[in-house]
Amino acid sequence: MKIGPDRKLYITTGDATAPELSQDKRSLNGKILRMNLDGSIPEDNPFENSYVYSYGHRNPQGLVWMGDALYATEHGQSARDELNVIKPGANYGWPVIQGNEEKAGMETPLFQSGNETWAPSGMAAANGKLYVAALRGNAVREFDVEKNTTRPIITGLGRIRDVFVEGEYLYFVSNNTDGRGNPDEKDDKLYRVLLTNLNG
Ligand SMILES: [Ca+2]
């Protein structure tokens, strides 16, 4: 969940292992939802009297705004994880297309992981770059949307659940005690790093 620059609350919802619901605009599964802070439906949502902001998602996770654009991370079923630019009313394809597949009327991701698994979770933005926590990917990944490149910038700390930018720092949390990791004695931890140390 994130509150947007428009002071609306945005929520990512998974398909809850019922993929057909992602394409059903009457269902709240497999969607990005948008609501007023009092829980009511905004009058300018793309579908009348509906919380649905975008649909056709499998397991969307992190949200962040950079410039005028809203970005969302999403877990593929098997690899093919996605980073999408979210447009109101748009269809992100699941379960009809995934990864870099294309179909008229459906959106193909800005980035996708191919045969690799990132399991992207929380996301933050700073200085034109997106920073994404990767669980299975055991990293903080940087995405440069102008150069169309991605790389792991922090590794060796296990599963990373969430990231946050404040001021000149990037904060992130490991999640090795979630039952899928190999926790150290002192896991999990909250880390802080200077953004300027991540350049290059
Ligand atoms: Ca998709």
Side-chain angles (χ1 to χ4, degrees):
M1 297 192 289
K2 285 261 175 88
I3 295 173
D6 58 0
R7 300 296 296 164
K8 307 293 183 194
L9 178 64
Y10 291 75
I11 299 171
T12 57
T13 67
D15 71 0
T17 69
E20 68 281 4
L21 294 181
S22 295
Q23 290 293 323
D24 181 353
K25 294 198 282 291
R26 294 165 302 180
S27 165
L28 298 182
N29 292 31
K31 303 295 183 304
I32 294 175
L33 309 176
R34 179 177 182 259
M35 64 184 65
N36 294 315
L37 297 184
D38 65 1
S40 60
I41 297 171
E43 282 180 9
D44 59 349
N45 265 11
F47 305 107
E48 199 176 346
N49 204 29
S50 168
Y51 289 118
V52 174
Y53 188 70
S54 63
Y55 66 108
H57 298 285
R58 179 179 174 274
N59 185 4
Q61 297 258 325
L63 296 171
V64 77
W65 287 259
M66 187 166 68
D68 291 332
L70 168 60
Y71 298 87
T73 59
E74 180 165 335
H75 291 197
Q77 179 156 48
S78 172
R80 291 194 273 189
D81 296 320
E82 300 180 356
L83 198 161
N84 288 294
V85 183
I86 302 302
K87 297 182 266 183
N91 181 354
Y92 289 82
W94 177 255
V96 184
I97 59 170
Q98 46 183 321
N100 59 2
E101 294 169 352
E102 297 180 9
K103 187 166 178 157
M106 295 181 180
E107 303 297 321
T108 294
L110 191 59
F111 292 89
Q112 60 96 29
S113 69
N115 293 325
E116 205 181 326
T117 297
W118 298 331
S121 186
M123 180 162 47
N127 309 322
K129 296 191 175 107
L130 300 170
Y131 296 100
V132 173
L135 291 162
R136 180 76 183 279
N138 292 329
V140 176
R141 292 194 73 90
E142 175 196 274
F143 292 81
D144 187 321
V145 297
E146 262 180 36
K147 293 183 185 153
N148 202 33
T149 55
T150 177
R151 59 178 184 137
I153 50 165
I154 289 162
T155 57
L157 302 174
R159 299 164 62 75
I160 308 300
R161 174 65 63 178
D162 207 357
V163 291
F164 187 77
V165 166
E166 187 174 68
E168 53 192 323
Y169 292 103
L170 176 76
Y171 297 81
F172 57 97
V173 284
S174 64
N175 201 182
N176 295 309
T177 59
D178 69 352
R180 296 181 177 191
N182 300 303
D184 274 349
E185 212 172 294
K186 289 185 177 170
D187 271 334
D188 279 312
K189 302 187 188 90
L190 167 65
Y191 297 86
R192 184 180 81 163
V193 59
L194 267 171
L195 283 163
T196 49
N197 287 352
L198 301 174
N199 292 336

